[in-house]
Amino acid sequence: KSKEISGNSFHFFRSGMDNRTLESIKFENALYKALDRDELIIYYQPQINSRTGDIIGVEALLRWNHPTEGFISPADFIPIAEETGLIVPIGEWVLRNACKQVKAWHDRGYPLISVSVNLSVRQFEENNLFQVIRNILEETGLEPQFLHLELTENQIIKNTEATLKTMELLKKLGINIAIDDFGTGYSSLGYLKDLPISTLKIDKSFVEDVMTDKDNAAITNTIIALAQNLHLNVIAEGVETKEQADFLSSRNCYLMQGYFFSRPLKAEDVVRQYFYSEN
Ligand code: C2E
Ligand code: MG
Ligand code: MG
Ligand code: MG
């Protein structure tokens, strides 16, 4: 069942409704208002080239600063945003603001880094995603090669013909598409070769115990080799220790993201920590 985002989708409210449903309706309602009330904030996590130590990009990660609950994790509210369709306006807001931010950095003479934005497959189901993104790039002036889109492997397997078409158009425009959380889903390798993607992002669950778990080390090695053989870029997420970073570097996987380098930061902290020292 998919509800529309009209202000009152509450006509089905009945007195017999249990507390949990009531709670989830309150939550949905609060999320609906969060955008207008400026409660959503984008944090940016640096992506590093371990060979040079340079920042090469940032991933935009959404945070909800709820007036009474405090910070709510995207893991808790993105699924609700997807169910209710709110992910469409929220996702567009993230795209626009992330592009605007990175373009502003470029204009100030900071390094020409990319920005990775997570997309829900729900956004691809809207038939105008391509136009929306093209307009955002035009409006903000960000060049397409600096925009990277991330779709999780589990979202990609829900792909339709239309989604694939949109991905192809986006790629033609010069945008990079990455498969996020790679290795955790159920996509077939044959399917992978037909997707218009440029990057595999190794899921943090493999990186996490790459030093202690032989199977995870083998899976990580295999994903890196797969990317190399298919001429795709590979980036590791969730790198928390120097040992993990060294393991990945020794396998020629140099692009990394994780707490070892930096937590997701507010925009001004990215500037303070990564751009001032280079000027
Ligand atoms: P993701 O895209 O796979 O993002 C990586 C998650 O790992 C982020 O969690 C990040 O904060 C966390 N992380 C980064 N480095 C480390 C590390 O070294 N160790 C550990 N344990 N975790 C690390 P976060 O910010 O809570 O986001 C969770 C998920 O929510 C994201 O997973 C993404 O799927 C989704 N999400 C976040 N923002 C958006 C958005 O704007 N749109 C959509 N559709 N989804 C989003
Ligand atoms: Mg991601
Ligand atoms: Mg991920
Ligand atoms: Mg993940």
Side-chain angles (χ1 to χ4, degrees):
K1 75 167 190 232
S2 84
K3 273 171 261 135
E4 289 308 314
I5 334 149
S6 70
N8 50 34
S9 52
F10 306 129
H11 52 272
F12 53 81
F13 181 85
R14 266 170 274 119
S15 53
M17 194 165 269
D18 60 45
N19 280 336
R20 215 163 153 271
T21 316
L22 186 58
E23 280 311 305
S24 75
I25 290 171
K26 279 190 196 152
F27 194 68
E28 274 176 45
N29 199 28
L31 184 55
Y32 175 68
K33 291 175 180 158
L35 249 187
D36 283 341
R37 294 181 176 172
D38 288 331
E39 292 167 9
L40 298 181
I41 306 160
I42 303 172
Y43 273 57
Y44 296 91
Q45 188 175 34
Q47 299 174 325
I48 305 295
N49 180 339
S50 67
R51 246 188 308 200
T52 59
D54 291 338
I55 183 171
I56 51 118
V58 285
E59 178 174 9
L61 293 161
L62 197 54
R63 301 287 178 264
W64 179 9
N65 192 4
H66 190 285
T68 55
E69 306 293 317
F71 273 94
I72 301 180
S73 154
D76 294 326
F77 70 83
I78 293 287
I80 291 152
E82 284 175 340
E83 262 173 53
T84 55
L86 277 170
I87 194 64
V88 175
I90 290 175
E92 186 175 334
W93 180 87
V94 173
L95 272 165
R96 177 171 292 106
N97 284 282
C99 288
K100 206 192 276 180
Q101 178 63 77
V102 169
K103 172 63 175 166
W105 286 338
H106 291 180
D107 287 347
R108 273 177 237 155
Y110 299 144
L112 294 175
I113 63 169
S114 59
V115 61
S116 296
V117 177
N118 294 285
L119 286 190
S120 159
V121 83
R122 192 79 161 71
Q123 292 172 266
F124 279 87
E125 287 163 2
E126 299 291 299
N127 46 27
N128 63 349
L129 181 68
F130 176 71
Q131 276 85 349
V132 165
I133 291 179
R134 201 174 47 186
N135 290 346
I136 287 173
L137 290 173
E138 248 167 48
E139 193 185 301
T140 60
L142 185 72
E143 287 154 83
Q145 79 259 29
F146 296 116
L147 177 59
H148 296 196
L149 301 175
E150 295 190 1
L151 260 173
T152 66
E153 192 182 10
N154 277 320
Q155 299 254 327
I156 278 187
I157 54 170
K158 295 188 217 154
N159 255 359
T160 60
E161 204 53 37
T163 305
L164 202 64
K165 191 87 195 285
T166 303
M167 287 172 77
E168 266 153 16
L169 288 171
L170 290 166
K171 190 179 184 182
K172 262 192 208 126
L173 200 62
I175 294 168
N176 285 288
I177 303 178
I179 304 188
D180 203 351
D181 302 348
F182 189 76
T184 61
Y186 300 93
S187 64
S188 77
L189 295 184
Y191 182 54
L192 190 63
K193 114 183 131 43
D194 298 324
L195 287 174
I197 54 157
S198 51
T199 304
L200 299 183
K201 197 162 184 183
I202 306 172
D203 189 66
K204 62 176 174 297
S205 62
F206 305 120
V207 175
E208 188 175 50
D209 34 32
V210 79
M211 305 309 297
T212 50
D213 184 322
K214 273 204 175 104
D215 293 337
N216 282 342
I219 291 168
T220 299
N221 286 334
T222 303
I223 296 173
I224 294 168
L226 179 66
Q228 287 162 350
N229 290 327
L230 292 176
H231 305 290
L232 298 171
N233 299 316
V234 62
I235 177 164
E237 69 175 11
V239 179
E240 294 186 353
T241 67
K242 182 173 189 306
E243 289 69 33
Q244 291 164 350
D246 289 344
F247 177 96
L248 293 159
S249 294
S250 73
R251 268 77 176 173
N252 297 326
C253 173
Y254 299 107
L255 304 184
M256 303 180 195
Q257 182 182 337
Y259 298 164
F260 175 60
F261 300 98
S262 173
R263 294 198 169 246
L265 301 170
K266 286 186 173 167
E268 60 259 37
D269 291 327
V270 174
V271 173
R272 206 170 296 142
Q273 296 180 32
Y274 285 88
F275 299 156
Y276 275 168
S277 54
E278 298 189 21
N279 281 355

